[in-house]
Amino acid sequence: MTWQNPDTRAPTAYAKNERDVTMQASPLPLKPIAEIRRSHRRLTDHLATMVTAEGEVFSHCESRVLESALMLRLLEAERTEPAVQARIRGFLAGSRATARLSAVDQLLLAAVLDRRPPLGPEVVDGLMNGFHHFTAARKRVLLQSILYAAEAIDTVVLPQDSALEARQFQSWKQVEMTAGKCLILHGLGHPERVTEEELTTLATAVGTGRLWEGNLLVHLMALHALRRYPGYRQHIRNGLPPLLAAQRPDGGFSLTPGIECTGFGGMSLVEAGVESELQARMGRWLVSTQTPSGGWTYNPLTEQTDVETTALSLETLLRIDRHRYAHHLTRGCAYLESLQNPDGGYPIYNYGNPSAVAQTGEALSVLAQHDPGRYAARITRGARFLMDSQQRDGTFDVDWHLSEAASMMRAVHALEDALEARVLPDRTAHAARNVIQRTVKRLIDTRHQDGGWGYTPTDMSNPVSTGFALTALAMAGIRTGLHEGASYLCARQDPDGNIPACLDGSSPRMFPIEVKSVTAALILRGLTHALHSIQDTATGTPSTTATASARRHR
C-alpha cells in the first residue's frame, strides 16, 4: 500500500481552530482600553489559579495520540489491562473529533483503531518532507521507530551510524536512540546486530520503578524494543506500572506527567502586576528547586538541566527581587556561562550541542539584566550569534515552536537588553538595531486583517503567535498593531478568563504538545506589553511599555 501526506506543509500541522476560522474574515473593531484592561485582569487571574500553595506553576501535558497509541499497542501485545485499553480506545476515538490531528496522528489512529495493514517506508519520506533542521536524521530514526512499534509501517530503512549516535545529547535522547536502533534492526531482520550492552541500557532505564527521566515516550519505546528480544519479560512487566500510573483522566497519555512552568508562568504573572505575596511564593519555589549545578530541570523526575528552564527561572527571580535572590542569580548565571558555545550561542541542554536562537536570546537577556559589565564579552558574542542567525526576511529558526514570532521575540528581547546595558561595541550595537528593525518590519508586514498573527504569514491568526508578536513589537518600542492585536485576543476570551489557543510548542520536535499554563503565560505576556503601550499612547506618555517597567528593575 502507498500513502501520501495530506498536509504538505509539515507532519505536525493541525487543522485550524474552528473559532479562528469563523472569526478570520473581517477586521475586528478596536476594544476600548478599559475593556482590554478587564480582559487582562481576567487572564491574569486565570493563570494565577494555576499557582500552587507552594508557589509552583506546574502544568499537566495534555494527552496525545502518540503516546496513547504506543501504550495501547504495548498492552495489546502483552495481553494485559483490558480496562486501561478500553479507556485508551475511548480517548483515541474521541480525538478524531478535535480537528487537531497531525499526519502522524492520522497514521497511528488508522493503525491501532482501524487495524489498517502496515504501510511502506515511503510514509516516512512523506512525513519528513519539509522538515529542515539539524536534527532531521535523528527525527527520521525516531519517526521510523514509532511507526514500526505501532505497526503503522512494516518496512524500515537503516540510517547512517551518525544518526544513532547520541552520547553527547541529553540523557533521554541516548535511551531514545538506543531503542530506535533496536527497533529498526529488528525490522530489518538483523536483531543479532544489537549488542547486549544496548539491551541492558534499555532494561536499566525501565527497571527503576519510575518513568525514565519522566519521559513516557522514551519509556514506551524502550519497552517496545525489549519485547522484540528474548529474555526481557520481567523487565517489561516491571516497566509497566509507572506508565499505568500516568494515565490521564481522559484515558490518554502524554509525553510527561507534568512540566515545571514557574519560569514561564511566573515571569508573565510578575509582569502583569500580581500581588507581592504571590510573587514571593513563586520566588521561594524557584530557589528551592535550583539544582547544585545552578540550573533548573523542566520536570521533577529528570536530572537533566536545560538553558531555557534555567534562564526563565532566573529572569523571574530578577523581576521578583534581584537583591533577595542575588546568590541564586549568581549561581544560575555561572551555569549559563559554562554552556556558551564557541560560536557565541547557547544550546538547549549540553555544551557543544548546536546553538539555538531561542535559548541564546533567553540566556543573554538574563546576563544583560543581572551584571552586564561582568558578562560584556559573553553578551557581545551572543548578540553576534543572533545577528548572524537572522534570515533575509527578518525571521529566525523556529526551533521548538510552530510560530515564527517565537524566536523573533526572544531575539528582540535579548538585543534590546544588550543595547540598554550599553556593553556592545558601536558597530555591533548598530548591527543589532538593524536586526531589530528587520524583525519589526516582518512583524508589521505579516499582521493579518483581524489584528492577529499566524504561525507563518500564510496561516490564520492564533492567540499564541499573536502574543509573541505583541511582546516583540512592544519590546522594540513599536506601537503599530498593538491595539489591534490586543483587541484580537480579547475577542477570543472565555468567561473564565482563559483565551483558547491552538498548539504552538513541540516535544520532541515534529510532535506538537499542549501545556495550558505555558499557553496562557505566552498570551498574557503579549497582552500585558500591548496594554502598557496602549495606555501610554492614550495618556501621551513616552513609550515605556511593560518591557520598560517590568524588565528594568536594576
Side-chain angles (χ1 to χ4, degrees):
M1 297 180 66
T2 60
W3 178 88
Q4 288 186 325
N5 186 353
D7 189 330
T8 58
R9 282 196 310 115
T12 55
Y14 282 93
K16 303 298 181 283
N17 185 307
E18 181 178 350
R19 193 175 188 183
D20 286 335
V21 172
T22 58
M23 300 184 75
Q24 186 84 22
S26 59
L28 294 172
L30 295 180
K31 300 286 186 181
I33 293 177
E35 185 174 341
I36 295 174
R37 193 179 296 118
R38 288 192 294 270
S39 293
H40 177 263
R41 171 46 55 188
R42 289 198 301 273
L43 181 56
T44 302
D45 292 344
H46 171 73
L47 181 57
T49 64
M50 301 182 191
V51 184
T52 67
E54 293 76 22
E56 179 185 20
V57 183
F58 186 79
S59 185
H60 293 287
C61 300
E62 299 305 304
S63 297
R64 298 198 294 191
V65 169
L66 172 58
E67 288 82 7
S68 303
L70 288 175
M71 184 65 172
L72 179 57
R73 272 290 194 233
L74 182 62
L75 295 178
E76 289 175 340
E78 294 300 308
R79 299 183 180 181
T80 188
E81 303 292 341
V84 175
Q85 291 186 42
R87 293 184 61 208
I88 299 174
R89 290 190 188 96
F91 165 75
L92 292 175
S95 68
R96 282 180 157 159
T98 65
R100 302 175 80 170
L101 296 178
S102 69
V104 175
D105 293 336
Q106 294 170 37
L107 278 171
L108 291 172
L109 288 173
V112 302
L113 287 187
D114 303 336
R115 304 294 177 179
R116 187 175 69 181
L119 303 177
E122 73 279 356
V123 169
V124 177
D125 293 334
L127 291 170
M128 292 297 299
N129 182 38
F131 183 78
H132 305 294
H133 196 265
F134 68 83
T135 62
R138 297 201 308 272
K139 288 301 174 287
R140 182 177 287 271
V141 172
L142 176 61
L143 193 54
Q144 283 195 96
S145 305
I146 289 169
L147 295 177
Y148 180 72
E151 300 176 31
I153 61 174
D154 58 6
T155 306
V156 293
V157 177
L158 183 66
Q160 295 182 348
D161 289 343
S162 59
L164 299 170
E165 178 56 56
R167 283 177 294 180
Q168 73 275 30
F169 293 108
Q170 61 271 29
S171 54
W172 56 84
K173 184 62 64 178
Q174 297 170 27
V175 174
E176 175 193 300
M177 288 294 100
T178 301
K181 178 180 179 180
C182 294
L183 285 163
I184 289 173
L185 287 174
H186 181 274
L188 290 170
H190 293 293
E192 75 282 356
R193 294 176 59 181
V194 174
T195 68
E196 192 63 33
E197 179 184 0
E198 289 166 335
L199 292 172
T200 299
T201 295
L202 301 182
T204 301
V206 300
T208 63
R210 65 177 192 170
L211 291 171
W212 172 248
E213 294 287 283
N215 192 309
L216 272 78
L217 177 57
V218 174
H219 198 102
L220 279 163
M221 288 181 62
L223 290 177
H224 272 285
L226 287 173
R227 65 169 292 270
R228 287 165 167 80
Y229 294 83
Y232 293 94
R233 305 300 309 160
Q234 190 59 47
H235 292 86
I236 294 170
R237 286 192 288 269
N238 293 342
L240 279 175
L243 288 171
L244 295 170
Q247 188 170 31
R248 291 187 42 74
D250 61 8
F253 292 81
S254 190
L255 174 68
T256 182
I259 290 182
E260 166 59 61
C261 301
T262 312
F264 275 107
M267 181 161 48
S268 293
L269 287 169
V270 174
E271 286 183 343
V274 295
E275 63 274 14
S276 58
E277 186 280 328
L278 179 56
Q279 294 188 31
R281 201 183 339 147
M282 293 187 294
R284 288 193 297 271
W285 173 263
L286 285 173
V287 299
S288 74
T289 55
Q290 189 174 26
T291 68
S293 70
W296 275 263
T297 65
Y298 87 97
N299 86 61
L301 297 178
T302 182
E303 297 180 359
Q304 175 72 62
T305 53
D306 65 89
V307 169
E308 179 164 84
T309 307
T310 298
L312 294 173
S313 298
L314 290 170
E315 192 165 4
T316 301
L317 291 177
L318 276 164
R319 291 182 183 336
I320 293 173
D321 192 332
R322 63 182 299 118
H323 302 294
R324 176 185 293 272
Y325 302 121
H327 174 64
H328 300 280
L329 291 166
T330 299
R331 289 179 54 219
C333 286
Y335 168 86
L336 293 179
E337 281 189 286
S338 71
L339 291 176
Q340 189 171 32
N341 281 329
D343 63 6
Y346 281 82
I348 299 169
Y349 295 107
N350 299 329
Y351 175 82
N353 293 170
S355 298
V357 169
Q359 283 65 50
T360 301
E362 290 160 348
L364 291 191
S365 288
V366 170
L367 298 179
Q369 292 178 60
H370 180 236
D371 192 344
R374 177 177 179 176
Y375 306 120
R378 294 188 179 278
I379 294 168
T380 298
R381 288 168 53 209
R384 287 171 177 159
F385 170 82
L386 291 177
M387 292 184 288
D388 290 342
S389 300
Q390 190 177 42
Q391 300 172 23
R392 290 184 177 181
D393 61 5
T395 63
F396 300 85
D397 178 14
V398 295
D399 205 44
W400 291 104
H401 294 277
L402 300 179
S403 172
E404 69 177 28
S407 294
M408 296 163 74
M409 181 274 287
R410 291 186 170 102
V412 168
H413 186 6
L415 294 176
E416 286 286 353
D417 280 333
L419 288 168
E420 187 189 348
R422 300 179 183 276
V423 294
L424 299 179
D426 289 344
R427 291 182 62 183
T428 304
H430 177 73
R433 294 187 185 97
N434 288 337
V435 167
I436 293 170
Q437 288 174 5
R438 284 194 293 272
T439 304
V440 166
K441 183 180 186 305
R442 172 72 173 193
L443 290 170
I444 291 175
D445 290 348
T446 57
R447 179 170 61 88
H448 292 325
Q449 192 176 21
D450 62 3
W453 280 261
Y455 294 137
T456 68
T458 59
D459 294 307
M460 285 180 276
S461 299
N462 68 75
V464 178
S465 297
T466 301
F468 281 129
L470 292 176
T471 305
L473 289 172
M475 285 178 167
I478 304 300
R479 290 168 169 166
T480 302
L482 297 187
H483 201 156
E484 291 84 353
S487 299
Y488 166 87
L489 293 177
C490 293
R492 281 151 179 77
Q493 191 168 41
D494 284 342
D496 66 357
N498 184 41
I499 297 178
C502 54
L503 307 187
D504 178 75
S506 60
S507 185
R509 290 183 186 88
M510 289 181 58
F511 301 98
I513 191 167
E514 182 176 12
V515 184
K516 289 186 176 179
S517 65
V518 172
T519 299
L522 296 174
I523 297 170
L524 175 61
R525 195 175 195 196
L527 191 57
T528 297
H529 285 266
L531 175 61
H532 278 255
S533 184
I534 294 166
Q535 290 179 146
D536 291 347
T537 302
T539 58
T541 58
S543 179
T544 57
T545 75
T547 304
S549 59
R551 83 182 176 194
R552 294 173 172 86
H553 282 302
R554 50 187 183 274

